[in-house]
């Protein structure tokens, strides 16, 4: 009897050891899934994670339309250890033209990915946006009132609410990142900084709508580092502002770009105020610093210098 019991113990021990080994092996093989990998941030994030030695699977909208529930349900997360959800519609001016599309795509797409994470017990990092609206104080904290003032911000906030609900009610582990004004190489000319750099390099004059508005500009590589840290430091649920902690006006951006390029081109300002314009925006980044150990590494001038060098090349 003792021999039989001992053999049973040995068999159980061996089975447990094998299961542990398989489990450990599976953990090693787990990939980071990046949705929206064809976009500005997504492309850069996939390259960044690979440089950090991570196993990554990037999917663009052509491979995985997150707004299509059936497609998401048929997409396996068996080999995925973390989801970074970037897919969705962007660009504030276009959201005024297609508000329904923005609300449906960004909210439903996030819901479908949360459901997939719930079914497979996979944590998510959700990349949100500046959603506060007109700030009551500067700098802006994650706990400050949220008043989305454009369809894009509203769609991102509604998706955030879904993230919070799934975290609280279903135990899905979610880290939400709220980037302020992201800039970097590869950004479309629709956005302010690529417009200014392009005009400073190619045109006789730099033309903008308004010189006054001040924004907190965060360099792309600093945002990628913050995302990476949420993958490595999984939270049950948390929200992080990601910005530089400093604001610069449009006029200051133009001056900095011209100083870097060595140009002195005239500037034409139409003095047109955008709908629901905000005069000044600054992120309080102390929460990300304390929880993630994150801090931006690039000043505006450093980021713009890298950007202009890339565009020249």
């Amino acid at each position: 009897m003792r021999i039989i019991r001992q053999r049973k113990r040995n068999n159980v021990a061996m089975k447990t050891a094998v299961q542990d080994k398989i489990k450990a092996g599976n953990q090693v093989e787990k990939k980071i899934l990046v949705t929206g990998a064809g976009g500005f941030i997504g492309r850069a994030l996939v390259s960044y994670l690979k440089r950090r030695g991570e196993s990554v699977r990037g999917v663009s909208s052509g491979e995985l339309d997150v707004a299509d529930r059936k497609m998401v349900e048929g997409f396996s997360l068996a080999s995925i250890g973390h989801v970074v959800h970037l897919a969705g519609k962007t660009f504030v001016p276009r959201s005024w033209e297609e508000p329904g599309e923005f609300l449906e795509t960004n909210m439903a797409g996030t819901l479908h990915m949360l459901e997939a994470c719930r079914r497979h017990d996979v944590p998510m990092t959700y990349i949100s946006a500046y959603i506060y609206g007109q700030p009551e104080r500067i700098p802006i904290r994650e706990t400050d009132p949220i008043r989305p003032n454009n369809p894009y911000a509203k769609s991102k906030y509604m998706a955030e609410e879904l993230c919070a609900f799934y975290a609280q009610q279903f135990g899905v582990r979610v880290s939400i990142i709220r980037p302020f004004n992201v800039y970097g190489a590869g950004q479309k000319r629709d956005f302010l900084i690529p417009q200014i750099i392009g005009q400073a390099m190619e045109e006789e004059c730099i033309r903008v709508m308004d010189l006054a508005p001040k924004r907190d500009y965060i360099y792309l590589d600093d945002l990628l580092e913050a995302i990476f840290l949420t993958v490595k430091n999984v939270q049950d649920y948390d929200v992080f502002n990601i910005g530089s902690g400093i604001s610069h006006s449009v006029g200051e951006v133009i001056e900095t770009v011209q100083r870097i390029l060595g140009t002195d081109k005239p500037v034409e300002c139409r003095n047109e105020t955008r709908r629901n314009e905000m005069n000044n925006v600054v992120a309080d980044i102390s929460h990300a610093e304390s929880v993630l150990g994150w801090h931006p590494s690039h000043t505006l001038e450093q980021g713009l210098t890298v950007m202009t060098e890339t565009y020249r090349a």
Side-chain angles (χ1 to χ4, degrees):
M1 291 292 292
R2 289 179 182 175
I3 294 173
I4 292 173
R5 287 174 182 170
Q6 185 62 44
R7 284 177 180 170
K8 286 183 178 178
R9 290 194 193 102
N10 291 341
N11 290 338
V12 170
M14 287 176 64
K15 186 177 180 181
T16 302
V18 169
Q19 289 173 340
D20 290 344
K21 188 175 182 180
I22 292 171
K23 185 178 180 181
N26 288 340
Q27 288 174 345
V28 170
E29 294 170 3
K30 293 291 186 182
K31 296 179 180 180
I32 301 169
L33 175 68
V34 179
T35 69
F40 164 55
I41 298 173
R43 288 194 307 271
L45 179 62
V46 169
S47 297
Y48 176 88
L49 292 172
K50 287 180 178 178
R51 291 198 303 271
R52 297 297 297 255
E54 298 296 324
S55 180
V56 186
R57 181 175 182 187
V59 289
S60 62
S61 58
E63 300 168 89
L64 179 64
D65 180 2
V66 296
D68 186 330
R69 180 174 61 85
K70 292 294 184 182
M71 185 178 285
V72 175
E73 286 177 352
F75 187 87
S76 176
L77 295 187
S79 64
I80 303 303
H82 198 104
V83 170
V84 179
H85 182 44
L86 275 159
K89 286 185 170 291
T90 62
F91 195 49
V92 171
R94 193 170 294 124
S95 74
W96 287 111
E97 300 168 8
E98 306 170 358
E101 288 288 324
F102 272 70
L103 288 164
E104 181 179 0
T105 301
N106 293 346
M107 185 175 63
T110 303
L111 172 61
H112 299 156
M113 291 310 300
L114 284 166
E115 264 293 284
C117 289
R118 179 186 69 82
R119 291 194 302 268
H120 295 273
D121 190 26
V122 175
M124 174 192 284
T125 297
Y126 174 61
I127 313 303
S128 184
Y130 178 87
I131 60 173
Y132 299 99
Q134 194 68 39
E136 291 185 352
R137 63 178 172 186
I138 298 292
I140 303 160
R141 300 173 188 168
E142 290 89 348
T143 54
D144 282 350
I146 294 173
R147 303 186 186 94
N149 62 356
N150 61 72
Y152 170 65
K154 183 65 175 179
S155 72
K156 299 299 272 187
Y157 180 45
M158 293 170 76
E160 276 198 20
E161 290 185 305
L162 287 170
C163 289
F165 184 82
Y166 267 71
Q168 294 161 4
Q169 303 300 326
F170 300 114
V172 178
R173 293 158 291 167
V174 183
S175 294
I176 294 175
I177 284 184
R178 292 176 182 163
F180 279 53
N181 286 64
V182 185
Y183 70 100
Q187 193 170 30
K188 290 181 180 178
R189 188 77 172 256
D190 294 341
F191 291 84
L192 177 68
I193 287 182
Q195 274 185 14
I196 291 171
I197 293 175
Q199 290 182 88
M201 294 177 71
E202 302 164 6
E203 309 292 337
E204 294 183 358
C205 178
I206 298 172
R207 296 176 176 86
V208 293
M209 288 179 58
D210 193 352
L211 292 168
K214 301 181 73 175
R215 294 291 183 268
D216 187 329
Y217 295 99
I218 180 69
Y219 185 58
L220 177 60
D221 283 8
D222 289 327
L223 171 60
L224 302 181
E225 173 69 13
I227 295 171
F228 176 70
L229 288 171
T230 63
V231 174
K232 292 301 180 182
N233 299 275
V234 175
Q235 308 295 309
D236 289 336
Y237 178 79
D238 215 336
V239 181
F240 303 99
N241 283 340
I242 299 298
S244 67
I246 303 170
S247 64
H248 298 274
S249 69
V250 175
E252 289 172 331
V253 172
I254 294 173
E255 290 173 7
T256 305
V257 168
Q258 296 227 70
R259 183 168 63 251
I260 292 167
L261 293 173
T263 58
D264 188 22
K265 296 184 177 181
V267 178
E268 288 185 9
C269 176
R270 299 196 300 270
N271 292 315
E272 294 179 11
T273 302
R274 287 197 315 175
R275 184 174 178 178
N276 294 340
E277 184 62 277
M278 293 167 290
N279 294 326
N280 192 18
V281 169
V282 181
D284 184 327
I285 55 176
S286 58
H287 187 57
E289 289 175 326
S290 63
V291 175
L292 300 175
W294 174 88
H295 190 81
S297 301
H298 299 79
T299 64
L300 179 66
E301 183 156 358
Q302 289 170 334
L304 290 175
T305 298
V306 176
M307 213 170 158
T308 53
E309 288 173 352
T310 304
Y311 283 18
R312 275 172 167 164

